[in-house]
Amino acid sequence: MTRHKLVALMPMRHSSERVPGKNYRPFGDGRPLFHHMVDVMQSCPQIDKIVIDTDSPDIAAQCAEKYPDVVILDRPEHLLGGMTPMNDVLLHDISEVDSEFYLQTHSTNPLMTVETLNKAIETFFANYPIYDSLFSVTRVQTRFWDSLARAINHNPNILIRTQDLPPFYEENSCVYIFEGKCMKERHNRIGLRPYLFEMERLEAQDIDEEIDFRIADLIFKQTRGA
């Protein structure tokens, strides 16, 4: 069995509750949504192999035609539910394709560029093993309150500018890089010493709902001339 250095994982289900068929829906320049991230990953020289875990015959057929080098894993029935933890899916995937390190992303981040993904990979390996994993984040500087109307990160009596508030970092689900051994031991794609890789908000657009799809599609067309 071939052991790779870095394998990219992109799990996708055929059905989507909030945005029906989003993974293979035309996006931006007309390509199916998931094609955008496959093209980005194929342009990263440090990625040895791309693996798509799916139950979708449409996705499998499109890959066979356009991306024959992409490995398709049929998702087992016990992992098909929408409530299945992503870490369980990833554990199955890494058991099927051996690698020292893995990168996980989503088809729903179609604005992420090759340059950003390459930078994330380079950043991880430049800082490993001081940091044992990496995940992408978006800086947020705004006034947060809890459900009991208590200020979390600011003093309501001293309204400093939001850009001067200490930043919080939102996990944006664009990139995760982790060691296979650590994933098996901890059952978690985030290690004990994760590196927070900051991304520009424009590239970190994630598609969860229909309004997200429309916004990302508009941004793509306006910024990339589609």
Side-chain angles (χ1 to χ4, degrees):
M1 179 184 294
T2 301
R3 187 157 204 252
H4 301 290
K5 176 74 171 181
L6 180 65
V7 164
L9 308 172
M10 192 165 72
M12 288 183 283
R13 290 191 300 129
H14 182 75
S15 300
S16 175
E17 297 171 3
R18 288 176 286 185
V19 188
K22 68 179 178 182
N23 288 319
Y24 41 88
R25 177 172 161 185
F27 175 86
D29 55 10
R31 286 177 292 158
L33 180 67
F34 83 92
H35 288 211
H36 292 264
M37 275 310 305
V38 175
D39 289 340
V40 167
M41 290 187 290
Q42 285 192 328
S43 299
C44 291
Q46 294 194 69
I47 294 177
D48 298 322
K49 185 66 68 175
I50 299 171
V51 176
I52 291 179
D53 170 314
T54 187
D55 64 327
S56 174
D58 293 344
I59 291 172
Q62 289 181 34
C63 284
E65 179 180 354
K66 184 172 176 58
Y67 305 110
D69 292 335
V70 170
V71 174
I72 298 295
L73 298 180
D74 293 325
R75 186 172 301 188
E77 188 173 348
H78 70 280
L79 296 175
L80 287 179
M83 300 301 291
T84 301
M86 180 54 64
N87 283 321
D88 289 353
V89 175
L90 297 178
L91 277 170
H92 168 261
D93 294 348
I94 70 174
S95 72
E96 295 291 321
V97 182
D98 192 28
S99 181
E100 186 176 0
F101 299 96
Y102 295 88
L103 179 153
Q104 188 232 326
T105 187
H106 293 281
S107 64
T108 52
N109 309 125
L111 299 179
M112 186 162 59
T113 63
V114 174
E115 291 76 18
T116 295
L117 191 57
N118 273 327
K119 184 179 178 182
I121 295 170
E122 292 166 2
T123 298
F124 172 73
F125 284 116
N127 289 279
Y128 178 84
I130 298 172
Y131 295 94
D132 63 357
S133 54
L134 173 149
F135 66 94
S136 56
V137 297
T138 309
R139 178 190 293 254
V140 181
Q141 287 175 279
T142 189
R143 299 184 183 95
F144 287 104
W145 300 77
D146 67 14
S147 60
L148 297 178
R150 294 177 297 195
I152 295 175
N153 65 331
H154 66 285
N155 183 341
N157 298 314
I158 307 174
L159 291 181
I160 64 174
R161 300 182 306 170
T162 54
Q163 60 263 43
D164 294 329
L165 288 171
F168 277 54
Y169 294 92
E170 176 188 3
E171 182 181 341
N172 59 35
S173 299
C174 289
V175 186
Y176 298 88
I177 304 177
F178 51 90
E179 189 176 14
K181 178 183 176 182
C182 182
M183 178 71 185
K184 292 174 183 176
E185 291 175 350
R186 300 196 66 246
H187 198 150
N188 198 323
R189 61 191 171 186
I190 297 177
L192 295 172
R193 304 180 306 280
Y195 186 101
L196 273 62
F197 178 75
E198 189 173 342
M199 285 178 57
E200 292 292 333
R201 181 172 298 277
L202 191 68
E203 285 190 51
Q205 296 287 327
D206 185 49
I207 297 174
D208 268 336
E209 300 179 354
E210 180 64 30
I211 185 63
D212 301 326
F213 195 103
R214 296 185 184 186
I215 291 172
D217 187 71
L218 181 62
I219 293 172
F220 185 99
K221 289 173 178 175
Q222 289 187 341
T223 60
R224 304 189 186 182

